[in-house]
């Protein structure tokens, strides 16, 4: 087996992936989508997400499928001496290590950064944890909703003046995965320039705070604590959702004077353009309750299809509120090929969400389905020089697990 030499952006880069659940696998899948060779180190039981209900393809859950394409799986007992030797041999052949163990676990497993740096001085090592490697919370376990709650982002989500709710998407995990990818790519550039490796300490809680964006900065400046934002904007009263005659939501983001005037024309309230209460953005904010009340009534006189047509004709950014079926059937989503169809031995209709990073020369058909547990154990052990007899011995002694088809050949 040789390293990839195709035109993918990260061809030739190898990632050793110790991650489980969501934040880490999302990061390593993103690197795999860009062409890195990702080697997923699993326990003999496999990544715990393989078993999360309710949806499965074969014995693997769709939760696992959502974040593990473009990877190879090797199942190894990291607590055994032979297992550690296997992993250490692979460290020497990799460029990046990513893990999301709780602080202290990597030391016990002998895959901590100081130890691996001795094996590969220019290794890029990324740790993703709930709270980072230091601080009063650093040993606490953390999951998505925990950091949503602690960061304040959950307090901003929900109905205006209502109870806060968890974000519908696991942004606590996903943001940490994305920041990990950003850090790794920067570290690769740093290594190319200096020849030096890097240790990256990514905290899920840290990653949530920049996502507070202007609302966080508003608080730091004013001391006013905002509550749930509902379907509106703290600063712009015409950046919100309105109900049509049939009760569907139509969203507009009219954040300029021209767009505000377009809204007024679209709902046949041109008189609002010259109304002294609404002449500028500052005045509209000052009188936002009055303006919203007027627009609520105006929007309610039109069907949603007519509203969207009239708003588009007046160059007002707008959209219907779509559910997931509507979103995946949307012609723009279809055109951008954001749904991948992959072959799988247990299904002829495995569909996953695609790679949003489009680049020249990308081949949409080059993506590989998530691996079965231990599917590549045999081939990856052969690559570090183990014979069939040695592989059989390791499998029989419980150091590694071979995929059933591979086990029959070994």
């Amino acid at each position: 087996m040789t390293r990839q030499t195709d035109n993918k952006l990260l061809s030739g880069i190898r990632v050793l992936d110790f991650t489980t659940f969501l934040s880490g696998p999302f990061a390593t899948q993103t690197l795999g989508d860009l062409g890195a060779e990702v080697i997923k180190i699993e326990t003999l039981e496999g990544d715990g997400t393989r078993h999360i209900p309710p949806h499965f393809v074969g014995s693997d859950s769709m939760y696992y499928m959502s974040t593990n394409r473009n990877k190879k799986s090797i199942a190894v007992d990291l607590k055994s001496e032979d297992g550690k030797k296997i992993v250490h041999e692979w460290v020497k052949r990799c460029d990046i290590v990513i893990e999301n163990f709780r602080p202290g676990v990597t030391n016990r497993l002998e895959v901590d950064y100081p130890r691996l740096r001795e094996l590969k001085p220019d290794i890029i090592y990324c740790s993703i944890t709930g709270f980072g490697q230091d601080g009063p919370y650093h040993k606490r376990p953390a999951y998505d909703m925990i950091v949503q709650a602690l960061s304040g982002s959950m307090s901003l989500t929900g109905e205006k003046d209502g109870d806060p709710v968890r974000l519908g998407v696991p942004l606590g995990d996903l943001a940490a995965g994305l920041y990990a990818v950003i850090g790794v790519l920067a570290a690769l550039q740093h290594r190319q320039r200096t020849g030096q490796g890097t240790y990256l300490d990514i905290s899920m809680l840290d990653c949530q705070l920049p996502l507070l964006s202007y609302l966080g900065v508003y608080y730091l400046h004013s001391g006013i604590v905002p509550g749930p934002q509902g379907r509106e904007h703290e600063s712009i009263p015409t950046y919100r959702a309105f109900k049509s005659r049939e009760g569907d939501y139509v969203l507009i983001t009219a954040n300029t004077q021209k767009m505000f005037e377009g809204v007024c024309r679209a709902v046949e309230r041109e008189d609002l353009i010259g109304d002294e209460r609404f002449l500028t953005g500052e005045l509209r904010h000052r009188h936002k309750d009055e303006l919203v009340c007027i627009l609520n009534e105006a929007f309610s006189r039109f069907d949603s299809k007519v509203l969207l047509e009239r708003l588009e004709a007046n160059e007002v950014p707008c959209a219907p509120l779509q559910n997931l079926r509507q979103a995946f059937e949307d012609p723009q989503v279809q055109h951008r090929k954001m749904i991948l169809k992959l072959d799988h031995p247990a299904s002829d209709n495995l569909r996953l969400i695609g790679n949003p990073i489009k680049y020249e020369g990308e081949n949409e058909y080059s993506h590989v389905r998530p691996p079965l547990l231990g599917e590549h154990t045999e081939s990856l052990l052969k690559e570090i020089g183990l014979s069939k007899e040695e592989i059989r011995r390791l499998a029989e002694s419980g150091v590694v697990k071979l995929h059933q088809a591979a086990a029959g050949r070994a």
Side-chain angles (χ1 to χ4, degrees):
M1 184 187 297
T2 58
R3 292 208 189 195
Q4 302 173 37
T5 57
D6 58 27
N7 61 353
K8 291 187 176 182
L9 298 180
L10 291 179
S11 289
I13 298 296
R14 271 183 175 156
V15 180
L16 206 57
D17 177 10
F18 291 98
T19 68
T20 60
F21 275 84
L22 190 50
S23 61
F26 183 67
T28 52
Q29 175 174 274
T30 302
L31 295 170
D33 282 351
L34 296 175
E37 182 182 0
V38 179
I39 299 165
K40 184 177 179 69
I41 305 293
E42 299 194 68
T43 67
L44 302 186
E45 295 75 32
D47 185 328
T49 64
R50 288 182 181 271
H51 316 297
I52 293 180
H55 304 294
F56 291 84
V57 170
S59 60
D60 291 326
S61 77
M62 288 307 298
Y63 190 114
Y64 163 80
M65 293 289 182
S66 71
T67 55
N68 284 287
R69 67 169 171 263
N70 294 325
K71 301 180 185 181
K72 299 174 180 178
S73 169
I74 176 172
V76 58
D77 178 8
L78 278 176
K79 296 178 181 178
S80 69
E81 289 305 312
D82 282 336
K84 291 171 184 175
K85 289 178 184 177
I86 290 168
V87 169
H88 290 170
E89 282 301 312
W90 265 107
V91 169
K92 298 173 187 177
R93 292 163 168 79
C94 287
D95 305 280
I96 300 160
V97 169
I98 302 183
E99 56 89 9
N100 63 348
F101 295 114
R102 209 183 303 183
V105 173
T106 57
N107 295 67
R108 296 199 298 273
L109 297 177
E110 298 182 12
V111 291
D112 53 291
Y113 175 60
R115 198 182 311 263
L116 300 194
R117 183 176 55 187
E118 291 294 318
L119 297 171
K120 186 84 163 36
D122 65 348
I123 196 74
I124 294 167
Y125 191 112
C126 178
S127 297
I128 305 173
T129 57
F131 304 107
Q133 299 298 311
D134 49 30
Y137 297 171
H138 81 282
K139 290 189 177 180
R140 290 188 188 181
Y143 292 90
D144 174 80
M145 191 160 63
I146 300 298
V147 298
Q148 284 193 33
L150 287 173
S151 69
S153 63
M154 189 167 165
S155 76
L156 302 172
T157 308
E159 294 283 356
K160 192 77 171 177
D161 300 320
D163 293 331
V165 297
R166 171 185 172 270
L167 289 166
V169 293
L171 198 57
D173 280 304
L174 301 181
L178 289 177
Y179 275 111
V181 170
I182 292 168
V184 162
L185 296 179
L188 281 172
Q189 178 64 24
H190 173 75
R191 189 181 72 173
Q192 183 173 350
R193 188 174 68 253
T194 67
Q196 299 174 356
T198 305
Y199 178 76
L200 300 165
D201 175 11
I202 304 296
S203 154
M204 290 171 63
L205 179 59
D206 289 355
C207 293
Q208 283 294 282
L209 296 175
L211 302 185
L212 298 176
S213 188
Y214 59 85
L215 288 172
V217 174
Y218 283 4
Y219 163 73
L220 293 174
H221 177 73
S222 70
I224 299 171
V225 178
Q229 297 296 293
R231 289 172 291 277
E232 58 193 78
H233 195 287
E234 185 77 11
S235 300
I236 307 168
T238 50
Y239 195 112
R240 59 178 296 133
F242 293 96
K243 276 189 177 180
S244 66
R245 178 155 50 197
E246 67 264 58
D248 295 332
Y249 283 108
V250 172
L251 288 81
I252 63 171
T253 56
N255 57 5
T256 68
Q257 182 64 30
K258 181 181 178 182
M259 291 175 188
F260 169 68
E261 293 175 7
V263 172
C264 296
R265 294 189 181 96
V267 297
E268 297 180 351
R269 287 300 307 264
E270 290 91 340
D271 59 298
L272 299 177
I273 296 173
D275 192 311
E276 291 186 356
R277 295 170 297 174
F278 312 133
L279 290 176
T280 66
E282 184 178 351
L283 286 170
R284 289 191 288 275
H285 183 264
R286 188 182 306 170
H287 299 284
K288 63 181 178 181
D289 290 341
E290 300 163 74
L291 178 58
V292 168
C293 183
I294 293 169
L295 290 177
N296 273 331
E297 190 281 329
F299 271 73
S300 70
R301 292 186 287 108
F302 297 88
D303 291 340
S304 57
K305 182 179 179 182
V306 174
L307 277 170
L308 291 165
E309 290 172 351
R310 292 177 67 92
L311 289 164
E312 287 183 9
N314 282 277
E315 299 182 0
V316 178
C318 60
L321 180 60
Q322 299 190 146
N323 59 32
L324 292 193
R325 184 189 72 250
Q326 293 165 327
F328 284 123
E329 291 176 356
D330 190 287
Q332 181 65 23
V333 173
Q334 293 281 335
H335 176 81
R336 296 287 291 178
K337 297 181 173 62
M338 283 305 298
I339 301 172
L340 290 177
K341 296 180 180 180
L342 302 177
D343 293 329
H344 191 280
S347 173
D348 57 2
N349 189 35
L350 176 61
R351 297 191 299 166
L352 301 174
I353 299 172
N355 176 21
I357 303 173
K358 312 297 185 185
Y359 58 91
E360 185 178 8
E362 179 190 17
N363 181 355
E364 64 176 291
Y365 302 106
S366 64
H367 294 287
V368 179
R369 62 163 172 79
L372 305 173
L373 176 60
E375 182 173 354
H376 304 94
T377 299
E378 182 182 13
S379 62
L380 292 173
L381 292 178
K382 286 180 178 178
E383 189 165 349
I384 59 173
L386 274 65
S387 66
K388 284 189 175 183
E389 291 71 23
E390 290 172 306
I391 294 170
R392 183 181 294 110
R393 177 185 64 80
L394 291 171
E396 290 173 351
S397 61
V399 174
V400 301
K401 183 173 184 177
L402 306 180
H403 181 250
Q404 189 173 1
R409 296 193 306 267

